[in-house]
């Protein structure tokens, strides 16, 4: 299927590895020029050169997207874009009683206020040109809380509320905002969560993975490539009527009819 976005420009945040990288790859395959970001310059450059293999222009900006300085550098390099994919690392797991105000502020900054700041900066130009796409990478924890990820549950729920209202305000101008909710995907993040299970329960990594896979009806982890393909579709010409939705990619893990 031709996604109809060849020649558009996208900013994909936190895109040197994992799900962000999957989104950047799928957009590059569709002919979209990219600005990509991550903190570590080496992995970011490696991803940028792979993306250039699709024949698109790629600008890599190293920096922490959750800081004001990091965002300023990324936004300066990006200028105005047609497509924004927001993403950042997720908060650490823990226990509800231990989380301090500081921990919450950090999580809110990373997973709620950063995507909101990026949307505020980039939506006006999309509105002015009458076309734009925003995809926020959130989590299945928005639909079904993951007890040890309370910081993530809280911050992402806040972002989801903001998107619910804002998506309806920008839709009249040809701009869509949607959220993609990953369940367990085979990325570094999944490995570190498996290591947490391994340490907490005194079991092997294989046992921790097998246990988590067994909890997913599809009996496997998702891949960054299939996640990226869904993101690219949401950014495509065909997805203009999908507005303010929260789309689960979880192999059926959230047991709900709707
Ligand atoms: P990942 O494999 O660990 O990759 C994270 C990417 O983001 C890397 O490129 C990393 O590069 C970059 N990054 C992290 N923090 C950043 C920051 N502050 N500024 C700029 N770049 C940053 O993680 P992932 O699995 O793709 O997860 C992406 C998001 O989805 C996370 O928020 C995660 O919590 C959420 N999620 C993932 C899963 C899953 O199973 N994978 C499930 C639910 C939700 P640097 O480290 O070099 O910055």
């Amino acid at each position: 299927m031709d996604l109809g976005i060849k020649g558009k420009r996208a900013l994909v945040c936190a895109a040197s590895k994992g799900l962000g990288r999957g989104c950047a790859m799928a957009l590059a395959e569709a002919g979209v020029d990219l600005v990509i970001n991550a903190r570590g310059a080496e992995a970011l450059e490696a991803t940028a050169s792979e993306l250039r293999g699709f024949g698109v222009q790629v600008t890599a900006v190293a920096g922490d997207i959750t800081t004001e300085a990091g965002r300023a550098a990324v936004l300066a390099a990006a200028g105005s874009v047609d497509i924004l994919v927001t993403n950042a690392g997720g908060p650490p797991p823990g226990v509800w009683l231990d989380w301090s105000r500081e921990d919450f502020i950090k999580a809110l900054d990373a997973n709620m206020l950063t995507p909101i700041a990026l949307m505020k900066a980039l939506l006006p130009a999309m509105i002015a040109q009458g076309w734009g796409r925003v995809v926020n990478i959130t989590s299945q924890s928005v639909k079904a809380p993951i007890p040890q990820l309370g910081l993530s549950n809280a911050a992402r729920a806040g972002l989801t509320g903001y998107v619910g209202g804002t998506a309806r305000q920008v839709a009249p101008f040809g701009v869509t905002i949607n959220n993609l909710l990953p369940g367990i995907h085979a990325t570094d993040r999944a490995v570190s969560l498996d290591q947490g299970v391994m340490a907490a329960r005194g079991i092997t990594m294989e046992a921790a993975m097998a246990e988590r896979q067994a909890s997913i009806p599809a009996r496997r982890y998702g891949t960054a490539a299939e996640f990226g393909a869904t993101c690219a579709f949401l950014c495509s010409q065909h997805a203009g009527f999908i507005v303010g939705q929260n789309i689960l990619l979880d192999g059926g893990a959230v047991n709900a009819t709707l």
Side-chain angles (χ1 to χ4, degrees):
M1 183 194 291
D2 178 2
L3 296 183
I5 48 177
K6 190 171 166 29
K8 301 264 186 210
R9 284 187 79 240
L11 166 59
V12 185
C13 303
S16 65
K17 298 178 190 165
L19 304 180
R21 183 177 180 279
C23 295
M25 295 291 277
L27 288 169
E29 199 179 344
V32 174
D33 295 324
L34 290 159
V35 177
I36 59 167
N37 149 265
R39 291 164 304 179
E42 203 178 315
L44 185 66
E45 281 306 331
T47 295
S49 45
E50 251 189 275
L51 291 166
R52 288 186 191 107
F54 288 101
V56 296
Q57 288 186 6
V58 182
T59 306
V61 189
D64 187 338
I65 198 67
T66 69
T67 66
E68 227 171 291
R71 277 192 300 279
V74 168
L75 288 169
S80 59
V81 295
D82 307 292
I83 294 166
L84 165 66
V85 180
T86 76
N87 186 27
V95 177
W96 65 273
L97 196 54
D98 296 339
W99 292 315
S100 66
R101 175 179 164 77
E102 268 313 294
D103 295 326
F104 276 103
I105 298 293
K106 240 189 195 166
L108 291 170
D109 258 340
N111 300 113
M112 177 184 170
L113 299 175
T114 290
I116 290 174
L118 292 165
M119 283 186 266
K120 280 179 72 180
L122 295 170
L123 282 170
M126 295 184 196
I127 289 168
Q129 71 179 9
W131 196 94
R133 298 282 185 266
V134 178
V135 174
N136 300 295
I137 299 179
T138 66
S139 172
Q140 79 175 35
S141 70
V142 169
K143 292 246 185 195
I146 302 171
Q148 69 277 20
L149 291 178
L151 294 170
S152 170
N153 300 339
R156 298 187 198 279
L159 174 63
T160 305
Y162 174 86
V163 166
T166 308
R168 271 103 187 152
Q169 288 177 295
V170 303
F173 307 100
V175 178
T176 70
I177 313 178
N178 293 287
N179 301 323
L180 271 184
L181 285 53
I184 302 173
H185 282 70
T187 67
D188 289 357
R189 168 82 170 167
V191 171
S192 84
L193 291 175
D194 284 336
Q195 282 166 343
V197 173
M198 185 175 89
R201 307 254 317 280
I203 57 177
T204 64
M205 186 73 173
E206 290 69 32
M209 274 184 69
E211 211 171 85
R212 291 219 295 163
Q213 279 169 353
S215 73
I216 304 169
R219 298 287 185 264
R220 65 173 178 89
Y221 291 0
T223 69
E226 59 198 352
F227 189 90
T230 309
C231 175
F233 180 77
L234 280 179
C235 296
S236 76
Q237 296 293 1
H238 312 296
F241 210 49
I242 304 177
V243 169
Q245 297 303 300
N246 291 283
I247 296 163
L248 256 182
L249 288 166
D250 70 342
V254 172
N255 189 30
T257 306
L258 287 176

